[in-house]
Amino acid sequence: MRRRVGERAGCMIGGVGGAVGGATAAAGGASTGAALGAFAGPLGITVGALGGALLGALFGGVSGSVAGSAAGAKLDETLLDTYLCIDCTKTF
């Protein structure tokens, strides 16, 4: 059976890194959302800012997971033992 150690680790690391990067970049999204929501008053500014920040973190996490998973899959193919024998538990 396939182990997919690098793929899983890359997905997790990429997801966390992407979410953190997306959250920091979301400051720009929050200010844009606040500016767009300004026509609705204080509530619109708050909702727009939170919406922009959440969408930035969400899209950053998803794109980081996809990129990390692809990098981990390549690592599995080239460096790590890809398969596990179910009978003898030997990896190769």
Side-chain angles (χ1 to χ4, degrees), residues 45-85:
I45 293 172
T46 304
V47 171
L50 287 175
L54 288 175
L55 284 176
L58 179 68
F59 288 135
V62 169
S63 62
S65 285
V66 170
S69 179
K74 191 54 104 173
L75 186 67
D76 279 338
E77 291 175 11
T78 57
L79 189 63
L80 300 174
D81 291 336
T82 305
Y83 297 98
L84 169 72
C85 177

